[in-house]
Amino acid sequence: MLHGDTIDFVGYSTVQPSICESGALRLLVSRYLNIGYTLTKGLPYPFDDPNNRLITGDEVDQAIRNACNFSHRRRTLHFWRAPFAFSVRLSQPLTGVIEWTLFVQSDTLLGLDNNLGEQNAAEFMNVVIVALETLPTYYGCLYTSQHPPSVEDVIRGVVSKVYPANYFGDSFLGLVEREKLSGMPAWLNETVGSGRLVVPSIKALYADDDLALQEANRYLFGRVEPSIADEQND
């Protein structure tokens, strides 16, 4: 089951110049707009109300500037294309590191029929792939009830858990078994950008203790993470 109001894919960029200074964030926004998404003011309803949409070039430019101003409280970019909506937020946890988070509301992921189907989950991964192709990403993962590794561990290359979605950038691939990773059985396992994206199964996006996630941990790290149910019973 989903835990919390959103599920989040978090990525870490250590490349200089940064996402903002290089124009990578602006390119990302342009790519989303080109495939039919619209920037909106927060998470308004209805999305298609003209007053809730950022349409002019000046409005889009200001939203991008806000996202890149880490002292600004409105640093989140919200995107909508019927019937899907998601958001992107930047932060700077350490000097020289930018953390980007792409997140979707849980009820949006489930859809109107409130099931664990593939359509919205696949759309979510599609927008994640666009981000990974555009933003220089060292490592990234999607988590629901599990916490992501600390930024310090990521920078040191200390990641020892398979998450519902996992991205290993080119420089990070030297810290894991590249051939073993590419051979991992998964719903999605392909080269994206300069790294590799692995999603054990669609169900793993909805339930952290999915069997495929357990098998992926055994395959890559030789062990099995305790299931959520096991943890609750301890």
Side-chain angles (χ1 to χ4, degrees):
M1 60 180 293
L2 294 175
H3 300 265
D5 295 332
T6 67
I7 67 167
D8 306 59
F9 187 98
V10 57
Y12 302 92
S13 175
T14 59
V15 176
Q16 299 300 322
S18 73
I19 286 171
C20 292
E21 294 167 347
S22 67
L25 180 63
R26 182 173 296 276
L27 177 59
L28 177 64
V29 171
S30 295
R31 289 194 61 184
Y32 287 140
L33 297 181
N34 287 338
I35 61 175
Y37 279 97
T38 299
L39 275 171
T40 66
K41 301 174 183 177
L43 293 172
Y45 186 84
F47 289 108
D48 57 358
D49 185 334
N51 293 323
N52 292 332
R53 301 166 68 184
L54 303 178
I55 298 175
T56 70
D58 288 343
E59 289 174 327
V60 172
D61 288 345
Q62 185 60 56
I64 293 173
R65 286 195 295 271
N66 290 345
C68 287
N69 181 356
F70 299 121
S71 64
H72 200 285
R73 68 183 182 88
R74 293 183 177 178
R75 291 182 289 103
T76 304
L77 298 170
H78 303 279
F79 296 89
W80 166 77
R81 182 181 70 184
F84 197 76
F86 67 94
S87 304
V88 179
R89 180 177 58 245
L90 302 185
S91 62
Q92 191 169 34
L94 294 176
T95 300
V97 178
I98 288 184
E99 176 183 296
W100 60 269
T101 304
L102 193 156
F103 59 94
V104 61
Q105 299 292 316
S106 297
D107 56 356
T108 297
L109 191 68
L110 289 169
L112 295 176
D113 50 1
N114 198 39
N115 65 25
L116 308 184
E118 291 196 15
Q119 182 175 353
N120 285 341
E123 181 64 17
F124 181 45
M125 294 316 303
N126 286 338
V127 297
V128 167
I129 287 173
V130 172
L132 291 170
E133 291 174 339
T134 310
L135 305 178
T137 303
Y138 179 65
Y139 170 82
C141 66
L142 182 143
Y143 61 100
T144 50
S145 66
Q146 300 182 48
H147 292 293
S150 69
V151 62
E152 291 83 5
D153 282 347
V154 168
I155 300 306
R156 292 189 296 120
V158 181
V159 174
S160 57
K161 179 188 296 185
V162 175
Y163 290 85
N166 311 264
Y167 182 74
F168 300 91
D170 183 59
S171 55
F172 202 103
L173 279 172
L175 304 175
V176 297
E177 295 184 52
R178 184 186 300 254
E179 292 185 2
K180 191 172 186 180
L181 180 66
S182 63
M184 178 189 292
W187 171 75
L188 176 65
N189 187 343
E190 63 182 53
T191 297
V192 176
S194 61
R196 193 148 195 103
L197 176 65
V198 179
V199 181
S201 78
I202 281 290
K203 290 183 179 180
L205 303 180
Y206 298 103
D208 289 334
D209 55 349
D210 175 68
L211 178 61
L213 197 59
Q214 298 286 309
E215 291 300 321
N217 269 292
R218 180 184 293 112
Y219 174 88
L220 194 60
F221 297 114
R223 60 184 175 81
V224 178
E225 288 292 310
S227 70
I228 303 302
D230 290 342
E231 291 179 347
Q232 292 173 343
N233 291 331
D234 287 343

